[in-house]
Structures are given as C-alpha cells and as structure tokens.
Amino acid sequence: MASLIGFRLLLFLKMAGALWLQLMAVATSECSSGFKPSGRAPDLVVIGGTVADLVASPEAGGRLLEDTSVPGTLCISAGGVGRNIAEALTRLDTAPLFLSALADDGFAQLLERGYTHQPTGKLAAQTSFGMSNLNGAPKCALDMSAVRRVAGARTATFTALQTYQGELAMAVADMSINARITPDYLQLHASTIQGAVLCVADANLPTVTLQWLAQRCGGRDECGERKARPYLWLEPVSVPKAVAACYALRAGGLQAIDFVSPNEEELLAMAATVEPSSELDQQRKADQVILEKTGDSSAITRKRDSRDSDITRAASALVRAGIRNVIVTRGASGVLWARAASESETGNHAGMVFESLPAPLAAVRNTRGAGDSFVAGAVWGLLNAHSLAQSSYPATKQHTPPMCSVQAVRDALRSGLIAAKLTVESELAVSEELCAAALADCPSS
C-alpha cells in the first residue's frame, strides 16, 4: 500500500512539474491593471473558500502502473464553494461582495488573473478557470478585489489522482488558508455585511467567523419578530464541515440561519449534532461502525428501509433548532423544503411543512458544482422577490419587505433547480450558459 501511494504521488508530481513552470510564466507574464469589475450588488455578500482544483488522470484507456509514469492529463480549474457561488451570481448579473482568502503564490495569481486578462502562450494541460479559460478571452469578471491576500501562506488546493473513467483514486485537500477568513477581516467590511439584504456563507469558515456572522445576521427579537438584519444562507460544504458548523453555532447561533442547503448525508450528520443522544444520533453512530467495518457506504443505504423517514426527521430537528428553511438537495430527485407551518398553513408533521420540488430533467455530464449553482440560482430568485416587494411594500423601521414569503421561496428554489440543471449539463463547475435570461425563460418543471 505504501509503495502504491508513493507511486501515485510520484506520478502526479511528474505530470505537474513540467506544467508548473508554464503556469508560473502565465501568472507573471501580464498585469491586468486596466480591469474594471462589473457592477456589484450592494445588498449581497458571499463569504467562503477559493480553491485551485488539480486533477490528474491517465489518457483514455490507460491505467495506473506502479513505479513508472503513464501518459495523461492534468486539469486545473477554479473551485471552492464560496467562489463557485459568487461566480454563478456574477453570471446572473448579481455580482456580490466576495470575501475569501488567497496566498501570494502562483495559484493565487492564476485564480485572480484568469478572470481579468488574456494571457499569452498555450498551456500543455486542460485549463478551466471558471469564467475564463486561460487560453481564451474572459467571458465575465468575478470581482475579487476584496479577497484577503496572505503573504507566505498557501492558496487552497484540492489535488486528486483519478482513473481515466473519472473514479477518484486519491486526493489531498490543503484548506489551511481558510483559517485566515477571520472576524478581523470581515470587520473591515462590516458596514456592507450588516447593510446587505442577504449573506451567503460556506462552512469552510472558522468557528469564530461563523459565530461573528450569526451575531450580525438573521435572528428574531423577544417578540418573535424578525430583526432588521441580513438574511443568512449557510452552505454546509461537506459532512465534517457541516458538523463543525453545527458545533460552532449550537449555543443560539443556529437561530440566525434563515436558509441551509445540506445534501442528505450532511443533513443527517447535522441533525445528530444538534440533537445528541437522539435516535438519529444513535443511527449515525451505528452507520459509522458499518462504514468502518466494510468500507462500503452503500451498505448503509441498503440497511435503511426508511430513508425518506430519516430525512424528514433530520430536517425536523434542524427546524426545531431554529433554522427557518431547511433545503435538502437530493440530486435527480430535486429538493425537500422543510419549514415551520405559518398561520395560513396546516403543518403535516408536528406543526411543520415538508414540500418536495422535482428537479428538471437533465442530460448529466458532470455533477461538480451543481449544489453551488443551485444556491446561486435560489439566491438570485430571492433577491428578485425582494426587489419586487420593495417597490410595492417599502421598508420602514417597523417593517421589512416580505422576501421570504412561501411563494417567493418556492419560486426561488425552482430558479435554483434550473441553475443546477444548466451546470450538470456542462463540464464546468459553473455553466457558461448560466444567465438571468436562462432562469427567467426556462419552465420550472
């Protein structure tokens, strides 16, 4: 096993080494001093990770061999949940204030300059930096001017080796720079954050940063009325980070969350965290034992004969914890929306409402970034609802526009599903076809 691991790392280094000099040349060859960012929506903030994804694989039909290199490709692309959401919103003409962290290395320069100028030279690897292929002209511009630069650090990277069929063989994630997205950094933009209509945060953020946001977003006063603060949408990112976010916010912070968008596994883990010693918590511990013994996650799914019941109970736990809208992403099955029943609704489960929205039919080519595009599309829909509500129901000190009416959220989630469809039908983390007109023109089902 050790020799195989060493071989795979050596293979990747051999493939990456020759390319690195070319990448550095591109990163330093030109300066985009004349770049003017597109118009920013002052009522929207996105906070989260920016990552360079590096994926090496043998050429078609090839296989990994020990103790030697094989012909293949290295694909480098821009990633990070927060960055993907910010890019998608920019494509939707709703450019946010984007807060993240980059180092001062070559990857940071590529991630930044890939959006703003057309480098010379041709790269030997496939490159896809989101909104701008490095071999072509940029198609739109994500404003990264507010992103924190950390001298001497390492830009976040996800380095993977996969088979030619696309199956993951090994991966290493270096996300340590996300610890530099600190409250002190956000404080520099506090007036914009607190004056925003909506703030999207991914769970890459440190505990203290999530707590800082929870103190300034969402929440209700002692009379149960919503405070005049930004709405807060939390994207859990992964099971470990979803659990960490719940631990960070268990002491009242979960009540600041207006929207959360976990997938099924993230949801189950979050529910077990907010209600320890519950049946869901015991179920999760039993599942972990199965996984450790078999290494087969499908064995867990086969063991459950009531998956939908588990999902419903888990969503209920998060609503009871204070989260107002739990949006469970379920891939081709669409989303499950859980919320407390309003006065005009009859709850169908202990005062809660569960509503399923189907996903549009899609010719799936890639699932990377689908959840991020979903969040962006839904946020776009919510902001549209806010703008319409503001024009007919002006905000005062006593009232705020009803952006989160049931119909407004339902329509926003449908927009998110369309955005996700466009991305899964592309080969990119954010589809180049994503635009406001596409969401406005596409049917919702």
Side-chain angles (χ1 to χ4, degrees):
M1 177 61 71
S3 63
L4 179 60
I5 291 174
F7 150 69
R8 288 175 170 173
L9 288 175
L10 178 62
L11 171 64
F12 179 82
L13 290 173
K14 284 184 176 180
M15 296 179 67
L19 178 64
W20 178 246
L21 294 177
Q22 297 180 61
L23 293 177
M24 288 301 295
V26 169
T28 57
S29 62
E30 296 185 25
C31 177
S32 54
S33 57
F35 169 64
K36 300 294 182 184
S38 58
R40 177 188 293 165
D43 47 6
L44 177 61
V45 179
V46 175
I47 310 170
T50 299
V51 181
D53 292 336
L54 297 86
V55 181
S57 58
E59 62 186 16
R63 61 190 182 93
L64 303 176
L65 302 173
E66 288 196 46
D67 302 322
T68 187
S69 63
V70 297
T73 59
L74 174 64
C75 183
I76 304 179
S77 60
V81 169
R83 194 218 65 87
N84 288 347
I85 293 171
E87 177 192 336
L89 285 164
T90 300
R91 288 188 174 279
L92 293 169
D93 299 323
T94 314
L97 169 65
F98 178 47
L99 303 178
S100 186
L102 288 172
D104 56 355
D105 54 15
F107 284 124
Q109 295 178 53
L110 286 167
L111 285 164
E112 182 179 17
R113 298 181 183 180
Y115 304 121
T116 61
H117 77 297
Q118 182 177 352
T120 58
K122 185 164 180 67
L123 298 182
Q126 300 173 14
T127 57
S128 174
F129 271 79
M131 290 174 290
S132 173
N133 186 306
L134 290 180
N135 293 323
K139 296 177 175 62
C140 63
L142 170 61
D143 183 1
M144 300 182 72
S145 60
V147 171
R148 186 176 203 175
R149 274 66 175 180
V150 184
R154 300 182 305 274
T155 292
T157 54
F158 175 78
T159 306
L161 182 65
Q162 65 182 23
T163 67
Y164 81 91
Q165 298 100 329
E167 297 175 355
L168 184 66
M170 174 184 295
V172 176
D174 180 0
M175 304 289 165
S176 59
I177 196 171
N178 289 329
R180 305 303 292 271
I181 308 175
T182 61
D184 287 346
Y185 164 51
L186 297 194
Q187 187 63 43
L188 299 174
H189 305 277
S191 59
T192 302
I193 293 171
Q194 293 178 259
V197 172
L198 196 152
C199 179
V200 181
D202 77 26
N204 283 304
L205 304 181
T207 293
V208 291
T209 304
L210 287 171
Q211 293 169 342
W212 186 95
L213 279 173
Q215 293 168 4
R216 290 159 177 80
C217 296
R220 296 181 182 273
D221 61 24
E222 52 276 4
C223 298
E225 294 296 321
R226 194 183 184 286
K227 295 180 180 179
R229 292 177 172 178
Y231 288 87
L232 178 60
W233 186 309
L234 177 66
E235 168 47 46
V237 179
S238 67
V239 169
K241 291 176 182 178
V243 170
C246 282
Y247 275 118
L249 300 175
R250 273 200 306 184
L254 292 171
Q255 297 174 12
I257 300 174
D258 294 286
F259 301 90
V260 67
S261 47
N263 63 25
E264 292 181 358
E265 294 304 324
E266 292 161 355
L267 171 74
L268 293 169
M270 294 174 76
T273 304
V274 300
E275 293 190 353
S277 301
S278 66
E279 183 179 347
L280 283 167
D281 186 31
Q282 297 302 318
Q283 177 71 63
R284 179 163 178 77
K285 290 176 180 177
D287 289 347
Q288 189 62 35
V289 171
I290 293 174
L291 185 60
E292 290 174 355
K293 287 183 176 180
T294 67
D296 181 10
S297 60
S298 64
I300 296 173
T301 303
R302 287 195 300 270
K303 186 176 70 69
R304 286 200 184 104
D305 58 5
S306 56
R307 178 75 169 185
D308 287 344
S309 175
D310 288 344
I311 297 302
T312 299
R313 286 187 295 138
S316 299
L318 296 192
V319 174
R320 285 194 296 271
I323 300 175
R324 275 166 285 290
N325 295 276
V326 179
I327 316 298
V328 187
T329 58
R330 309 189 75 181
S333 298
V335 299
L336 175 69
W337 173 22
R339 62 186 185 275
S342 65
E343 293 180 0
S344 60
E345 293 178 304
T346 301
N348 55 23
H349 188 279
M352 297 185 192
V353 174
F354 298 89
E355 185 172 340
S356 294
L357 285 80
L361 293 177
V364 178
R365 300 172 64 187
N366 153 65
T367 58
R368 183 172 61 97
D372 306 336
S373 291
F374 167 76
V375 172
V379 167
W380 175 85
L382 289 172
L383 290 177
N384 280 346
H386 172 76
S387 297
L388 290 172
Q390 238 183 356
S391 63
S392 59
Y393 182 53
T396 67
K397 291 183 179 180
Q398 291 76 33
H399 301 286
T400 55
M403 179 179 78
C404 287
S405 69
V406 169
Q407 189 59 49
V409 176
R410 184 180 295 122
D411 290 343
L413 297 181
R414 287 171 175 158
S415 294
L417 288 167
I418 296 167
K421 173 184 184 293
L422 293 172
T423 285
V424 300
E425 291 183 332
S426 77
E427 294 182 350
L428 301 174
V430 179
S431 171
E432 293 181 347
E433 303 300 319
L434 184 60
C435 63
L439 298 197
D441 295 341
C442 285
S444 60
S445 63

